[in-house]
Amino acid sequence: GAGVSQSPRYKVAKRGQDVALRCDPISGHVSLFWYQQALGQGPEFLTYFQNEAQLDKSGLPSDRFFAERPEGSVSTLKIQRTQQEDSAVYLCASSLRWTGGTEAFFGQGTRLTVV
Amino acid sequence: SQQGEEDPQALSIQEGENATMNCSYKTSINNLQWYRQNSGRGLVHLILIRSNEREKHSGRLRVTLDTSKKSSSLLITASRAADTASYFCASPTQGAQKLVFGQGTRLTINP
């Protein structure tokens, strides 16, 4: 595809349920980021991949959050035992090769609502 | 943690007027980027200004950077209804593999 694709667009989960959010980056993009955006706030960094290597996971809020990118392309963010405070929009972004001086391309996000 | 803080948090102007948003940041930067986010959508990159640049233009956008004051401004001239969105400044943290965003300015253009 031409852009970053995320699925599903919307997800409603019951508290305690596990969820998996998918991100298809732009083909050939080495760098991939996950962000969490609460309502009315700016995106907060969760984790960063370069190819299949997870180089930074300092933003993951708890050990219930897990991300992977096993083949260096598609990435999955998994949240176990969801809680109400996990409700947010989860954004994925990719970059050709992140050097800090290049732009990041964002997907439209997955809006997660935990009830 | 947020690197930048935008000001104002919300701005409402008439179509055709200019809109100015400000961003202050905390640590030294190599560059600063501005992104736009329409309601319910992802972020779209608008413009990047490097630390050795003072001003940059792109269409109706003008960005300034003052590294001595650790601040940047985004000016949108001749605003249109389609400019209604949230605008975020962001900068890469030195030595870290991430882009850190501010809280954003919600801009509303009234027809």
Side-chain angles (χ1 to χ4, degrees):
Chain A
V4 178
S5 178
Q6 291 187 246
S7 61
R9 285 292 316 278
Y10 304 93
K11 176 68 179 178
V12 178
K14 291 184 178 180
R15 191 170 56 183
Q17 186 179 353
D18 297 349
V19 298
L21 312 180
R22 178 188 169 103
C23 172
D24 282 87
I26 294 173
S27 179
H29 277 197
V30 167
S31 304
L32 185 145
F33 303 84
W34 283 98
Y35 283 82
Q36 180 190 58
Q37 186 176 24
L39 188 64
Q41 302 295 312
E44 291 270 5
F45 171 82
L46 292 176
T47 188
Y48 165 72
F49 289 87
Q50 185 169 302
N51 294 307
E52 69 279 4
Q54 189 175 20
L55 298 185
D56 189 339
K57 54 181 180 179
S58 62
L60 296 177
S62 75
D63 58 8
R64 296 186 297 103
F65 286 71
F66 173 76
E68 60 182 5
R69 193 185 185 197
E71 297 179 357
S73 55
V74 171
S75 177
T76 304
L77 176 67
K78 298 179 179 178
I79 308 173
Q80 297 177 325
R81 304 181 303 282
T82 53
Q83 300 177 5
Q84 284 192 316
E85 60 262 31
D86 300 334
S87 295
V89 175
Y90 291 86
L91 296 166
C92 175
S94 71
S95 184
L96 187 59
R97 180 176 289 276
W98 179 250
T99 60
T102 54
E103 68 177 282
F105 295 83
F106 282 80
Q108 296 198 38
T110 294
R111 181 178 297 277
L112 173 65
T113 304
V114 182
V115 297
Chain B
S1 63
Q2 301 285 338
Q3 160 75 314
E5 293 185 4
E6 283 92 342
D7 171 57
Q9 290 190 345
L11 178 63
S12 181
I13 61 173
Q14 294 299 121
E15 193 168 19
E17 294 180 340
N18 296 341
T20 300
M21 291 158 272
N22 303 297
C23 167
S24 59
Y25 56 92
K26 299 173 185 174
T27 61
S28 296
I29 59 171
N30 291 323
N31 67 76
L32 188 135
Q33 305 181 25
W34 285 89
Y35 286 78
R36 182 187 73 226
Q37 184 177 37
N38 291 87
S39 180
R41 308 293 291 271
L43 286 85
V44 174
H45 181 266
L46 295 176
I47 196 165
L48 181 153
I49 186 165
R50 302 193 186 282
S51 59
N52 61 352
E53 297 176 308
R54 291 295 169 260
E55 187 172 310
K56 198 163 183 180
H57 297 255
S58 176
R60 294 184 297 111
L61 305 180
R62 173 178 164 247
V63 169
T64 62
L65 180 65
D66 187 335
T67 53
S68 66
K69 295 180 179 178
K70 291 187 168 58
S71 68
S72 174
S73 67
L74 171 67
L75 168 68
I76 304 175
T77 60
S79 62
R80 305 168 182 170
D83 295 329
T84 293
S86 290
Y87 291 81
F88 296 91
C89 66
S91 60
T93 53
Q94 286 192 350
Q97 308 282 9
K98 56 188 172 185
L99 196 59
V100 181
F101 287 84
Q103 302 274 21
T105 292
R106 294 187 305 280
L107 175 65
T108 302
I109 308 300
N110 302 303

